[in-house]
Amino acid sequence: MAMQAAFAASMFPQLAQRRGSDRAVVVAPPPPAPARVAMRSGGAAAAAARGVRCRASLIEPDGGRLVELVVPEEGGRREAARREAATLAHRVRLGRVETEWLHVLSEGWASPLRGFMREAEFLQALHFNAIRGGDGAMVNMSVPIVLPLGDAQRRAIEASGARRVALVDAADRPLAVLSDIEIYKHNKEERIARTWGTTAPGLPYVDEAITNAGDWLIGGDLEVIEPIKYNDGLDQYRLSPAQLREEFARRNADAVFAFQLRNPVHNGHALLMTDTRKRLLEMGYKNPVLLLHPLGGFTKADDVPLSWRMKQHEKVLEEGVLNPESTVVAIFPSPMHYAGPTEVQWHAKARINAGANFYIVGRDPAGMGHPTEKRDLYDADHGKKVLSMAPGLEKLNILPFKVAAYDTKQKKMDFFDPSRKDDFLFISGTKMRTLAKNRQSPPDGFMCPGGWKVLVEYYDSLTPSADSSKLREAVAA
């Protein structure tokens, strides 16, 4: 523990208080033995959620068991579930965001949640940023995972007394069955105010998934008929928490540190990740593994689409900016709220279920500019402060960013040194995008050449070609 305390003091000297104060601390467990994950084959009955019990060598999922809600194929159960779904009288059609949440739930990212939230879970998430698990303990759950329902459909379901409904896609294909249902009021203003801290117009997720959604919510237990696939050439990156745990075990990881981003990786990001691994090795860990985990669900229109971000991440590994031997690149399927300190808790909690015991958090995580005023919507430091105090995240080690910027003397990204602040250039995401749009090169050492080329190609795809007046479309996220 002395070594761990020294690590905390050397890496983040300003963070001297334990959890529960207004400042964070890094407190790590002793390096465990090489990880092994005990996987359950087969599954429970079709009416019950399956679970994967994990050995203590990787951090335990919330609730002690990784919830899996996909119906197993054994014994014809999946086909039976598909046939049953086709016979149900009521069918709730899922849009893009609802399907992404179905994906999240089905794989256990939200463990111990076993379906779309009922009212008690919704209120706990909304007012406490946590829900009570089956053992009575509170686990972090900062964003509601809910399914809206229109008034006409609500009346029809209630009139029939149905307890099970089918969830279907845009083509009316059954995706899941929702059982033991509960329908309750969707108080949109309360939900928006408590999740975002504002009801100002122009919040991207609100416009996409709440404003025009139904005035009711339907919750219940899920049986997902088959794994959710997007058939966009990226499904091989969509590893479930169970698959990630298997991969970490295969690599004999004794620590897993997660880094989420929704932007291209520049060399400053890479510096943070490689420095974190170095520090963990200094603590005594033998094989810390990085989970580079870009968000893959709904994002706002001006973010770089997922397919282009994944191309850029591939170049980062190909060109050796990150070590492929100690890096796992996978897609986190959650939609993005841009809800700042509230949402970053969800991002951290989900990585616990994937096996990460360290989480890197930076400036203004999950933040955005205010939709109607020229200022940031959230305080840039509140995300990391909230993570250090959030209920249910005590077992996760929070690693705040050290600030990285472009060192004009060394011509590379480096940690900011305030004693020679005039030597550093801060290149914001907006500045980076402007350079790429204008086909201007960033300073040498800002991003690997192949990665920058991908970013320029993306913005080129948005401009009219010489022989066409039409905009070339970017690949959908």
Side-chain angles (χ1 to χ4, degrees):
M1 291 302 292
M3 182 182 293
Q4 296 161 16
F7 168 69
S10 64
M11 190 169 185
F12 313 115
Q14 76 279 22
L15 305 178
Q17 301 293 321
R18 292 189 62 84
R19 291 180 183 273
S21 74
D22 62 350
R23 291 183 289 176
V25 69
V26 181
V27 181
R36 292 288 184 271
V37 181
M39 302 297 296
R40 249 176 41 155
S41 59
R50 295 190 302 138
V52 175
R53 189 174 296 281
C54 303
R55 293 183 184 171
S57 50
L58 285 178
I59 191 171
E60 272 204 344
D62 280 338
R65 183 184 293 273
L66 188 61
V67 171
E68 290 187 298
L69 303 175
V70 178
V71 177
E73 290 186 283
E74 291 86 352
R77 294 176 186 174
R78 187 170 294 174
E79 185 55 37
R82 186 178 288 107
R83 286 197 302 268
E84 184 202 5
T87 66
L88 291 173
H90 300 284
R91 303 161 81 83
V92 178
R93 184 166 284 109
L94 305 186
R96 170 188 171 177
V97 170
E98 291 80 25
T99 302
E100 290 170 356
W101 283 124
L102 181 70
H103 184 180
V104 165
L105 290 166
S106 72
E107 294 182 340
W109 296 101
S111 294
L113 205 58
R114 293 179 174 269
F116 286 104
M117 289 178 173
R118 297 182 176 88
E119 187 174 35
E121 295 163 325
F122 171 70
L123 291 174
Q124 289 173 60
L126 207 58
H127 293 272
F128 309 138
N129 286 173
I131 59 173
R132 196 171 298 282
D135 60 357
M138 296 297 283
V139 300
N140 195 272
M141 183 62 68
S142 63
V143 297
I145 302 180
V146 292
L147 180 58
L149 191 70
D151 192 53
Q153 197 162 29
R154 187 267 307 179
R155 290 196 304 268
I157 292 171
E158 289 182 341
S160 71
R163 302 300 303 149
R164 293 165 70 82
V165 299
L167 307 184
V168 302
D169 64 13
D172 214 34
R173 182 175 66 95
L175 300 176
V177 173
L178 195 65
S179 304
D180 192 21
I181 60 173
E182 177 183 337
I183 299 175
Y184 55 101
K185 188 68 177 175
H186 187 186
N187 190 329
K188 296 179 184 180
E189 185 176 25
E190 179 186 20
R191 178 185 174 190
I192 296 165
R194 293 201 66 91
T195 302
W196 283 271
T198 181
T199 56
L203 297 168
Y205 185 93
V206 172
D207 290 346
E208 176 74 16
I210 298 180
T211 301
N212 297 317
D215 292 330
W216 301 86
L217 298 172
I218 181 169
D221 295 334
L222 273 172
E223 301 164 60
V224 181
I225 295 171
E226 60 187 5
I228 303 298
K229 300 295 181 186
Y230 298 79
N231 301 313
D232 58 356
L234 299 176
D235 283 330
Q236 73 272 20
Y237 287 108
R238 293 186 175 94
L239 302 180
S240 70
Q243 290 171 323
L244 285 168
R245 285 174 174 269
E246 286 183 324
E247 180 61 21
F248 299 145
R250 188 187 69 79
R251 296 190 186 212
N252 290 325
D254 58 357
V256 176
F257 58 107
F259 185 86
Q260 171 179 300
L261 71 173
R262 63 176 196 272
N263 292 304
V265 174
H266 58 62
N267 289 352
H269 296 137
L271 175 65
L272 294 164
M273 291 181 268
T274 54
D275 185 71
T276 298
R277 188 171 195 273
K278 174 186 172 185
R279 302 286 185 152
L280 291 174
L281 289 168
E282 291 171 355
M283 286 178 66
Y285 288 95
K286 301 301 183 185
N287 188 30
V289 170
L290 165 66
L291 172 59
L292 178 58
H293 214 200
L295 185 135
F298 164 80
T299 54
K300 56 190 175 71
D302 60 349
D303 281 349
V304 177
L306 176 63
S307 59
W308 288 93
R309 284 186 277 131
M310 295 308 294
K311 290 178 186 177
Q312 196 269 347
H313 296 355
E314 288 172 358
K315 293 297 181 183
V316 168
L317 267 72
E318 285 176 12
E319 298 185 21
V321 179
L322 294 173
N323 183 358
E325 296 301 315
S326 58
T327 303
V328 175
V329 181
I331 292 171
F332 179 44
S334 175
M336 187 75 189
H337 279 63
Y338 305 92
T342 297
E343 184 175 16
V344 74
Q345 297 174 63
W346 158 242
H347 294 165
K349 173 252 170 46
R351 276 34 181 255
I352 291 175
N353 288 327
N357 54 333
F358 291 87
Y359 185 79
I360 303 175
V361 60
R363 180 189 180 279
D364 196 21
M368 59 172 280
H370 193 284
T372 61
E373 302 173 17
K374 290 186 177 181
R375 61 180 177 87
D376 286 343
L377 186 53
Y378 306 106
D379 186 293
D381 292 328
H382 282 182
K384 63 185 178 185
K385 290 180 179 179
V386 164
L387 281 187
S388 74
M389 302 180 287
L393 296 183
E394 294 84 359
K395 61 185 176 182
L396 184 65
N397 305 292
I398 306 303
L399 304 178
F401 277 2
K402 291 194 289 183
V403 177
Y406 186 76
D407 187 331
T408 58
K409 296 293 187 184
Q410 299 188 67
K411 298 190 182 303
K412 67 176 186 176
M413 298 297 288
D414 202 352
F415 293 121
F416 177 67
D417 181 355
S419 70
R420 52 185 190 93
K421 60 183 180 181
D422 292 340
D423 293 340
F424 286 88
L425 176 66
F426 288 88
I427 302 175
S428 67
T430 300
K431 176 65 173 177
M432 178 182 70
R433 289 189 292 270
T434 300
L435 290 171
K437 288 175 185 175
N438 295 333
R439 299 183 62 86
Q440 294 175 287
S441 296
D444 288 343
F446 173 74
M447 184 183 291
C448 66
W452 185 256
K453 182 179 178 182
V454 169
L455 192 58
V456 170
E457 287 174 352
Y458 163 63
Y459 284 109
D460 277 355
S461 76
L462 302 179
T463 61
S465 61
D467 58 354
S468 173
S469 61
K470 291 186 176 182
L471 283 176
R472 288 180 286 166
E473 294 183 357
V475 179

